[in-house]
Amino acid sequence: MMDKRILIVAEMLEKRLHDPDWVAVDCRFDLGDHHAGQRAFERAHIPGSVYLDLDRDLAGPIGTDCGRHPLPDVGQLEARLGELGIGNDSTVVVYDDSHGAIAARAWWIFRWLGHERVRLLDGGLAHWLSLGLPIESGTTHRVPRAFDAAPRSELVVSTAEIAATPSAAHELNLLDARDHTRFLGEHEPIDPVAGHIPGSRNLPFTTFVNSDGTWRSLDERRQLLLDALGGDPDASWCVMCGSGVSACLLALSGVEAGLREPRVYVGSWSEWIRDDTRPIATGEA
C-alpha cells in the first residue's frame, strides 16, 4: 500500500516556514460565530500563515436549492489565492484548531481546483502549540503569485444522481460522516430536518481522529473505510455530511490510503432536505 503522504507533522512544517514555495493556510472557523476564525488568526497563528474563511473563500453564496456550503466561484477563488501568494507551484499546508475537518475541506477544495500539492497539519494549531513551536500575530503579506485552476468535476456527485433511483445511495456506496445520533435522526443541532438518505451508511469522521486532535494511523483509517465498503479496496464510493465539510476528512483518508478517490456530495444533507419530496430515513434501517 502506497502512503500518499497528505498528513504532515508539525516538526516538518517548522523546517519549511521560511521556504517561499511553502504556504501554511489557517482555516479555523466556528459555526456558531462566523468571524471567530478570522479574529483568532489575527491574535495568533503559525508564522507566515495566510487565512482562508470557510464561508467567504471555501464556499460560495447559499442559494434556494443548495446546501450550506456550496462550491465557491472558481474565478474569485483563483484571484484570492493569488493575492495570498499561493501559486500553482506552491506546496500548501492547511490547518485548523481541532480535528481537522475544516482543514480537510480546504485540502479537498484545492484538489477540486486541480492543485494536488496540499498537505494537512496533523493535530492542527493545538498540537503545534503543545510542542512549544512559534506563533505570531497580526496579518501576513506575501508576494502575489498566479494561480490557475483546472476544476475537476469528476470529484463531485450531485443530488440528481443520488435521487435518481431509490437504490442509488446504496449503489454509490454513499458514506455519511456525521455523528451517529444525527444520522439516526435522534439529534439534529444544525439542520431543520433530522435523519439520513435511505441507503447511505454512517461512518462518523470523529472515529478517524484521536482525543488530542491528531489523526489515527493510516492503517487504522484505511481499515475503517474498508469495513464500510465491504472490504473492497477497489470499490467506487462517495462521501457526504451536513454540508460537505467533514466528509472531506473521509475523502482525504481514502486518497492517502491508496483507495479509489471518492466523490464528494458537496450539497450533502443540508441540500437533500431542501426538497421535501426526497425520501428520508431514520433509525438503523
Side-chain angles (χ1 to χ4, degrees):
M1 180 182 67
M2 181 174 64
D3 185 344
K4 300 288 187 176
R5 290 178 54 82
I6 297 174
L7 291 188
I8 183 173
V9 297
E11 295 87 348
M12 184 179 293
L13 175 59
E14 185 191 21
K15 294 177 181 179
R16 295 287 191 166
L17 289 181
H18 301 293
D19 187 333
D21 293 327
W22 281 58
V23 186
V25 177
D26 191 316
C27 307
R28 284 177 283 174
F29 189 83
D30 185 341
L31 291 173
D33 180 353
H34 291 196
H35 300 289
Q38 179 76 54
R39 295 195 303 269
F41 171 78
E42 292 171 359
R43 285 195 302 270
H45 54 263
I46 293 173
S49 298
V50 296
Y51 182 73
L52 286 179
D53 184 271
L54 176 61
D55 281 349
R56 296 193 307 268
D57 302 314
L58 302 176
I62 301 175
T64 58
D65 60 352
C66 68
R68 286 183 276 109
H69 293 109
L71 289 173
D73 178 84
V74 173
Q76 290 180 6
L77 187 50
E78 278 181 322
R80 172 69 171 151
L81 296 177
E83 290 170 359
L84 293 175
I86 300 173
N88 293 97
D89 57 348
S90 299
T91 296
V92 178
V93 180
V94 295
Y95 69 90
D96 56 34
D97 59 353
S98 53
H99 38 56
I102 307 297
R105 165 73 174 216
W107 166 85
W108 185 83
I109 287 292
F110 273 104
R111 197 167 179 85
W112 168 69
L113 292 175
H115 189 80
E116 296 191 7
R117 297 174 65 175
V118 187
R119 311 287 293 276
L120 188 145
L121 181 62
D122 191 12
L125 184 61
H127 189 59
W128 179 277
L129 293 172
S130 74
L131 296 174
L133 296 176
I135 57 172
E136 66 181 12
S137 60
T139 57
T140 301
H141 301 285
R142 300 181 63 93
V143 177
R145 295 193 179 193
F147 188 95
D148 297 311
R152 301 175 61 192
S153 59
E154 73 274 12
L155 296 185
V156 179
V157 64
S158 68
T159 296
E161 188 171 353
I162 297 171
T165 64
S167 61
H170 175 75
E171 294 167 356
L172 290 168
N173 283 317
L174 180 60
L175 304 183
D176 189 326
R178 292 177 299 159
D179 178 81
H180 193 53
T181 58
R182 290 183 68 192
F183 180 82
L184 296 177
E186 296 174 351
H187 175 63
E188 182 47 68
I190 301 174
D191 293 303
V193 179
H196 61 268
I197 298 174
S200 63
R201 279 162 269 168
N202 188 216
L203 183 55
F205 76 93
T206 52
T207 62
F208 284 67
V209 295
N210 299 307
S211 59
D212 65 354
T214 58
W215 290 35
R216 293 176 65 177
S217 73
L218 183 57
D219 285 343
E220 289 177 309
R221 287 181 283 126
R222 186 176 193 269
Q223 192 59 54
L224 286 170
L225 291 169
L226 284 176
D227 290 346
L229 296 173
D232 184 359
D234 296 318
S236 60
W237 53 299
C238 302
V239 293
M240 65 168 288
C241 53
S243 65
V245 175
S246 58
C248 297
L249 195 151
L250 274 62
L252 187 155
S253 292
V255 171
E256 193 175 38
L259 304 182
R260 291 185 62 174
E261 182 156 5
R263 290 188 289 165
V264 174
Y265 179 22
V266 177
S268 284
W269 183 248
S270 56
E271 181 169 308
W272 183 263
I273 60 175
R274 288 280 193 168
D275 184 342
D276 59 14
T277 66
R278 294 179 189 134
I280 292 172
T282 57
E284 296 286 359

